[in-house]
Amino acid sequence: MVEHSGLDIMCLNKYGPSSSSSSSSDAEKKLFSKLKVSLTKRYPQKNAETLSAQYGTNLLLIGVSMMLALAQHGPAVKEEHLLTFITVLMLVQLVWMLCYMIRRERERSPLPERDAHAGTSWIRGASAARLIDALLCERENDCLFDCRRSGGLTMLALLSLIMDAFRIGYFVGYHSCISAVLGVYPIIHALHTISQVHFLWFHIKDVIKKYETFERFGVIHAVFTNLLLWCNGVMSEAEHFLKNHQRRLIALGYANISTVEVEPHCNCTTSVCSMFSTSLYYLYPFNIEYHIFVSAMLFVMWKNIGRTLDRHSNRKRPSTRSPGLLLGPLLGLLALASSVTVLVVYLIHVEKSEQTREAAISMFYCYGVVMLACMCGASGAGLLVYRVEDWPMDTGQNPSRTLDTELLLGSSLGSWLMSWCSVVAAAAAAGRSSPSFRWTCLAYSLLLVLEKCVQNLFIVESLYRRRREDEAAAPEIFSVTAPYDGIVNRAYETQDKRCAPLDAEPSENRQGFGRKHADGSLPAGNRLNVTAGRKRQILKNITIFLFMCNVSLWILPAFGCRPQYDNALEQETFGFSVWTTVLNVAIPMNLFYRMHSVASLFEVFRKV
């Protein structure tokens, strides 16, 4: 019995582990294969967006940290350290763009899917040349400017290149006593600008379906590199205006204000160094807008990676002629001319005596009250037209339109913060001696809040409206009533093919089509009547007027008309450091809001 038991145990020890090990090994193989599939397919594609966003955010925070340290003018962090970091980021982006374009050229596969709404006229339409061209062209092929490759973005890039040329000239004049990084940076920036514009022209609409994880990191690196360049421009411009503000305070008798001047410790070898240095600050607004616009375009490209497009919504309407545009352009040009006049008068008189300075500030606020009141009325009239017209809402997925809405609302916060601070300061000054422009400043601030609220509503509703004939264009155009027997409705029978030319039709069919256009009347359900056309003309005139007004309100602060620095009303309430911090945050956001509104209104004009 003992031996038998021992044999049983031996048998179990001999055969039992082999069977269990084989089953466990099969289970481990299945688990490993599932884990491998999960890691190689679902996991990176699902989390690459989060990982790349965290990577880009930390890049931006590193650069912002260096900028904050540089703002203290200490010996630890210098300008060449920041520019070296940004130059390295630009070189990495150049390498990624080159690899992407080479891979696209070598691929034998068909052309990639393209998002018709990505990088469209909402961002490239920031140029008046594009708007004039769209008004004059009956068809897209007749345009004097290529509607897809010219416009605001190219103009801003060209002005950025001019700024790089001025920086190179400044470095040549002081090359004996400044770091070589100040000469390398504008060269790399110019190369980065040219390459990036080329990339945006030909690849911004691509919907990437291969190497998604790698391309996500490449695109987000480009997004945050441009955001960092935008922050650098904003900080440099804010420092320049702060120095000018401090000089004005010292001239007015505020002796406790100290300035920090950072100039090269050598003489310029050319006679135009001061001209280069002064001209840079007039070009900073264009460079700032260029980089923030590019960041928005690349962000849409990043959101489109791996996206499945809706074939119905992924199409663009052709550009058509727009008759009846007279009142909107005329009022817009009047607003633009008034803004230029106010800018020139303000810059001349604000540097003079206290009384002249207060008169210049009062002139600005009176002009702003009239301008904002007209813009509120125009936006409200546009909303009223939408309440009368029953166009349906477009609920399709569109990352570009979603980004437009979010940027409009987000960039409004800076202006609203500045406005409510002015309201509090004007109310707090009621019990003491206050300047003559206190009440106009209060009205201006309240109207600024109201104007942005109403204009945001108008733009967002316009972007999400869809014209009724877009739903069923073919049946409405080619609908045939009973008297016209024998006419073939090709738009209905062959919806995926183009209609044959009329020359290929039989004679009786040609006569039928002629009778249809001559005698036939559209069904009563169709709303293509004179009233609808008038409503579109009203909306287009309103859009052009708001377009020109936003351009005007961008020009004033961009080129030095900033009464918030000069009126001393808010500074007495909040203190110099707090109010300066508010302005350094709010004014760049307000500038971006105006330019982004310009681009969005151009898209609204094309859509209406």
Side-chain angles (χ1 to χ4, degrees):
M1 290 295 294
V2 176
E3 293 180 357
H4 189 267
S5 299
L7 288 174
D8 288 342
I9 293 172
M10 290 175 63
C11 291
L12 288 173
N13 290 335
K14 181 177 180 181
Y15 298 104
S18 62
S19 59
S20 63
S21 62
S22 62
S23 61
S24 63
S25 62
D26 293 339
E28 289 176 358
K29 288 180 180 179
K30 291 180 180 179
L31 179 62
F32 179 74
S33 62
K34 290 181 180 180
L35 183 62
K36 183 178 179 181
V37 170
S38 176
L39 289 175
T40 54
K41 290 186 178 180
R42 286 192 289 269
Y43 177 77
Q45 307 308 326
K46 191 174 183 179
N47 293 283
E49 185 173 345
T50 303
L51 292 173
S52 59
Q54 293 175 357
Y55 162 75
T57 304
N58 282 280
L59 279 183
L60 179 64
L61 293 178
I62 293 172
V64 171
S65 302
M66 297 179 69
M67 291 177 194
L68 294 176
L70 182 63
Q72 299 301 318
H73 302 285
V77 179
K78 298 182 179 179
E79 185 180 8
E80 48 264 30
H81 298 151
L82 175 63
L83 296 183
T84 301
F85 177 69
I86 298 176
T87 301
V88 171
L89 294 184
M90 289 192 293
L91 289 173
V92 172
Q93 183 185 344
L94 284 171
V95 172
W96 170 75
M97 289 190 298
L98 182 63
C99 294
Y100 181 87
M101 289 186 288
I102 291 175
R103 184 170 61 81
R104 283 295 184 196
E105 290 294 330
R106 290 184 176 180
E107 281 183 353
R108 300 295 183 181
S109 59
L111 292 176
E113 293 185 59
R114 298 175 68 83
D115 183 7
H117 302 287
T120 55
S121 55
W122 77 272
I123 199 74
R124 304 181 188 195
S127 162
R130 279 288 314 273
L131 180 61
I132 295 171
D133 189 37
L135 295 177
L136 297 178
C137 296
E138 292 196 16
R139 295 186 304 273
E140 209 170 272
N141 295 333
D142 294 337
C143 294
L144 299 175
F145 302 91
D146 187 353
C147 290
R148 300 186 181 185
R149 296 181 187 170
S150 64
L153 184 67
T154 307
M155 182 192 70
L156 295 174
L158 181 60
L159 293 171
S160 296
L161 292 176
I162 295 174
M163 189 180 72
D164 290 330
F166 286 166
R167 280 176 172 165
I168 294 172
Y170 182 82
F171 170 77
V172 171
Y174 289 106
H175 69 277
S176 60
C177 58
I178 60 177
S179 174
V181 177
L182 298 177
V184 175
Y185 171 79
I187 297 175
I188 300 299
H189 185 268
L191 180 61
H192 176 266
T193 301
I194 295 171
S195 304
Q196 189 166 246
V197 170
H198 178 272
F199 178 84
L200 295 175
W201 279 359
F202 294 101
H203 299 287
I204 192 60
K205 296 177 183 288
D206 291 355
V207 178
I208 299 173
K209 295 294 183 69
K210 293 183 178 180
Y211 309 105
E212 293 183 21
T213 303
F214 173 75
E215 302 298 355
R216 278 188 189 277
F217 278 88
V219 177
I220 207 66
H221 178 91
V223 170
F224 282 95
T225 298
N226 282 276
L227 277 179
L228 191 56
L229 288 165
W230 173 76
C231 290
N232 185 35
V234 167
M235 293 285 286
S236 300
E237 188 186 33
E239 185 179 4
H240 169 69
F241 278 101
L242 182 59
K243 287 180 180 179
N244 289 340
H245 178 54
Q246 290 173 341
R247 292 192 191 101
R248 291 172 186 171
L249 291 178
I250 292 173
L252 293 173
Y254 294 90
N256 57 344
I257 302 295
S258 61
T259 60
V260 179
E261 299 290 342
V262 181
E263 296 292 339
H265 300 288
C266 61
N267 294 326
C268 179
T269 57
T270 64
S271 60
V272 291
C273 287
S274 60
M275 187 268 289
F276 286 149
S277 178
T278 306
S279 301
L280 283 176
Y281 297 104
Y282 291 101
L283 294 173
Y284 263 122
F286 303 105
N287 182 58
I288 289 170
E289 298 303 328
Y290 163 74
H291 285 297
I292 195 66
F293 274 7
V294 171
S295 299
M297 294 181 72
L298 290 169
F299 181 78
V300 174
M301 184 180 185
W302 180 68
K303 294 293 289 185
N304 275 334
I305 294 177
R307 178 187 167 203
T308 302
L309 297 178
D310 183 6
R311 297 292 183 182
H312 175 72
S313 61
N314 188 36
R315 58 188 180 90
K316 290 181 63 178
R317 296 177 57 86
S319 300
T320 57
R321 190 163 184 167
S322 303
L325 296 179
L326 180 62
L327 185 60
L330 285 179
L331 293 178
L333 289 175
L334 179 62
L336 184 60
S338 303
S339 299
V340 174
T341 304
V342 169
L343 174 64
V344 173
V345 173
Y346 182 89
L347 293 179
I348 292 175
H349 288 82
V350 77
E351 301 285 350
K352 296 183 179 180
S353 64
E354 180 75 17
Q355 184 178 1
T356 308
R357 184 173 64 90
E358 287 193 6
I361 296 174
S362 299
M363 176 198 64
F364 172 84
Y365 283 131
C366 292
Y367 157 82
V369 167
V370 175
M371 175 77 76
L372 294 175
C374 294
M375 294 177 69
C376 287
S379 300
L383 290 173
L384 184 61
V385 171
Y386 282 126
R387 292 298 170 268
V388 176
E389 182 64 51
D390 56 346
W391 291 355
M393 300 297 291
D394 185 5
T395 58
Q397 185 181 8
N398 189 338
S400 178
R401 184 176 58 194
T402 303
L403 181 64
D404 279 350
T405 305
E406 294 173 352
L407 289 178
L408 277 174
L409 299 178
S411 57
S412 301
L413 298 177
S415 180
W416 287 338
L417 172 63
M418 186 171 60
S419 298
W420 287 118
C421 287
S422 298
V423 170
V424 171
R432 61 177 189 269
S433 60
S434 57
S436 58
F437 51 79
R438 180 169 69 92
W439 293 110
T440 52
C441 176
L442 179 64
Y444 173 82
S445 302
L446 293 175
L447 275 173
L448 188 61
V449 174
L450 178 62
E451 179 268 330
K452 289 198 174 181
C453 290
V454 181
Q455 182 174 266
N456 289 344
L457 285 174
F458 173 71
I459 293 176
V460 171
E461 184 158 357
S462 301
L463 292 175
Y464 277 87
R465 288 281 186 171
R466 185 176 65 240
R467 291 175 59 171
R468 179 167 295 277
E469 59 265 26
D470 289 346
E471 294 181 346
E476 288 180 359
I477 296 173
F478 290 94
S479 57
V480 183
T481 53
Y484 303 109
D485 223 1
I487 298 178
V488 178
N489 189 348
R490 293 183 180 273
Y492 180 79
E493 293 186 358
T494 58
Q495 296 179 2
D496 56 340
K497 299 179 181 179
R498 294 185 177 181
C499 296
L502 293 179
D503 295 337
E505 293 291 326
S507 59
E508 59 271 14
N509 283 355
R510 287 202 299 268
Q511 295 172 1
F513 274 101
R515 290 195 307 270
K516 184 189 75 167
H517 285 286
D519 306 325
S521 58
L522 289 173
N526 293 343
R527 298 185 177 269
L528 297 176
N529 48 34
V530 178
T531 305
R534 289 286 179 86
K535 291 174 184 176
R536 292 190 185 96
Q537 287 182 9
I538 293 172
L539 288 174
K540 288 199 172 189
N541 279 280
I542 289 173
T543 303
I544 294 176
F545 173 70
L546 293 176
F547 178 95
M548 301 296 288
C549 288
N550 279 277
V551 171
S552 303
L553 293 178
W554 177 84
I555 288 175
L556 289 172
F559 291 98
C561 187
R562 301 182 179 184
Q564 296 85 2
Y565 278 104
D566 302 316
N567 61 16
L569 186 64
E570 296 88 352
Q571 185 176 326
E572 292 179 0
T573 304
F574 299 100
F576 178 79
S577 59
V578 173
W579 181 237
T580 303
T581 303
V582 171
L583 292 181
N584 289 339
V585 173
I587 289 180
M589 294 179 69
N590 183 46
L591 286 170
F592 172 68
Y593 172 84
R594 291 302 174 189
M595 188 56 71
H596 184 64
S597 298
V598 166
S600 299
L601 286 166
F602 185 84
E603 189 67 21
V604 170
F605 175 81
R606 290 174 57 87
K607 190 171 185 179
V608 170

